[in-house]
Amino acid sequence: MTLRDAWPVLAFGLVAALLPAFVTAGTLLNFAIFTLILCLAAQGWNILGGYGGQYSFGHAAFFGTGAYCAGILQVRYGVNPYVTFLAGIALAAAVGAVIGFLSFRSGLRGSYFALVTLAFAEVFRVLANAVPFTGGAAGLLIPLDARPVNFQFGERGSFYLIVLALVVLALLLTRALERSRLGAQLVAVRENEEAARALGVDALRVKLAAITLSAGITGAAGGLYAQYFLYVDSTIAYGTWISVEALLAPIIGGAGTVFGPVVGAIVLHSLAEATRSLVGRIPGIDLVIYGIVLILVVRFPPRRLPALIRARWRR
């Protein structure tokens, strides 16, 4: 990857880093931080689903693993939060490797793979809700100690910059993947796995690398969520909401592109907040909106919109 490849990502990071200097309202910074966390989870899904064509319906399994690892190690054993954050990424990547090995080794793909990932996420949710070690239904409350050494900050702007830095790192990693041999092999597997095998591509190895990297990035998003909100339970960590949002954001913004998850996460979260402001906090209203958006995206894919607009204009 050259500087020419990286400069759009670096420019985005520099512009976004100016936000705390102009925005001091806590509500807007909360919105920005949560959107960036969603961007990170969506970028993780994008590597596996967008570039690899392996659609997952259960990325909550990786998000929740990163969140619970950060919470349990801090609350139960008093481990430093920075260490727990890195441990959550490693554990989520390991979970992704195990799920990927069991699924891809068995030849699962398409809807079968999607259902298997959904099943794993649901099993993790039930276990986290039932086992006392995870706090059960009450969840885990991380003690408040707003000092940088505890990965907690008195100002939201500091945490925003850390999350932004990780998002930029994930974008650079995705750009490097695009330009790498592994990225080319991953796209080849997505387009035609049998043809890729005939050309000598080890499809199992490529897909395992993709799901491991995808799970690690999504686990980082879960760790950041737990560290920012200082609370995690089974519904939050392994809930359907994160699997849906991590899947929808890249599809809306453009799956298989570097900035697609960023655009999709901003649109998706903005739409959800606007809906809540207009109709109130009706339970499940955001999922209804997501369903409508998904139908529209399937009917009018983002990559087809420019051509459709030009055709209408010419007519």
Side-chain angles (χ1 to χ4, degrees), residues 216-260:
I217 294 175
T218 309
L224 289 172
Y225 184 98
Q227 200 59 43
Y228 183 67
F229 292 101
L230 301 179
Y231 176 77
V232 60
D233 65 11
S234 60
T235 304
I236 293 174
Y238 293 118
T240 308
W241 71 275
I242 186 60
S243 293
V244 172
E245 294 194 25
L247 180 150
L248 273 181
I251 293 177
I252 292 173
T257 63
V258 175
F259 284 100

Side-chain angles (χ1 to χ4, degrees), residues 102-122:
L102 294 175
S103 303
F104 299 139
R105 186 74 174 178
S106 302
L108 299 180
R109 64 177 73 176
S111 58
Y112 296 101
F113 173 71
L115 291 174
V116 164
T117 57
L118 178 62
F120 270 105
E122 187 63 15

